[in-house]
Amino acid sequence: MTDVQERLTALSIELPVLGAPRYAYEATSRWGDLLFVSGQISRTASGEILRGCLGADATVADGVTAARTAALNLLARVDDAVGLDNVERILKLNAWATSSPTFVDQPSVIDGASRLLLDVLGDAGRHARTALPAHVLPQGALVELDATIAIRG
C-alpha cells in the first residue's frame, strides 16, 4: 500500500467515482509534467450539490464541508488521470465560494480544501492558493476548485 493509499484509509476517505464532463471540455489536461484539473464543484458522491450563499443561508462550516467535497472530486480527477502517487506537488489551487457582498472570510472556507489536500498528499499537497468570492457558481454550487499540478513522469 502506498503512502497516499494509507492516508486515505487512515482518514476513512473513499474517492468518488466521477463520470465524464457533460460539456465540451476535458476533466483534466496534461502538458508535459503539468496536469491542469478543470473546475470541480461541491457535488457529493451521491450526486447532491452542496449549495448556498456564504453570509446569507450558508455558514463557514457549510462552506468548509463544500470545499472538502470539491477537493475530493479534484483528487478523484487526478487519480483517474495519473494516479495520486504520481503527484509531485500541487502548484496552485484556485477556489471560488458563493458569497454575499458582505462575506469576506473565503480563506477560512477554502482552508477545508487545502487541509484535505495536505492530509491526503502530505508535502505534495502544499500549494499556492487563490480564494475568491463568486456571485453564483455552476449548478448553484457553494464551492468550485481547479488546480495546476506537477506530476512525476
Side-chain angles (χ1 to χ4, degrees), residues 67 71 93 109-119 125 127 129 145:
L93 181 70
V109 168
I110 302 308
D111 247 19
S114 292
R115 292 185 186 283
L116 180 73
L117 295 174
L118 289 167
D119 289 345
H127 54 272
R129 184 180 85 186
L145 307 172

Side-chain angles (χ1 to χ4, degrees), residues 1-2 12-13 17 19 22 56 70 72 81 84 86 96 99 103 108-109 113 116 119 121 125 129 133 142 148 153:
M1 189 177 284
T2 67
S12 300
I13 292 175
V17 176
R22 289 195 260 172
L72 285 173
L84 290 177
N86 291 313
W96 298 266
S99 305
F103 186 83
S108 292
V109 168
L116 180 73
D119 289 345
L121 298 172
R129 184 180 85 186
L142 183 51
T148 303

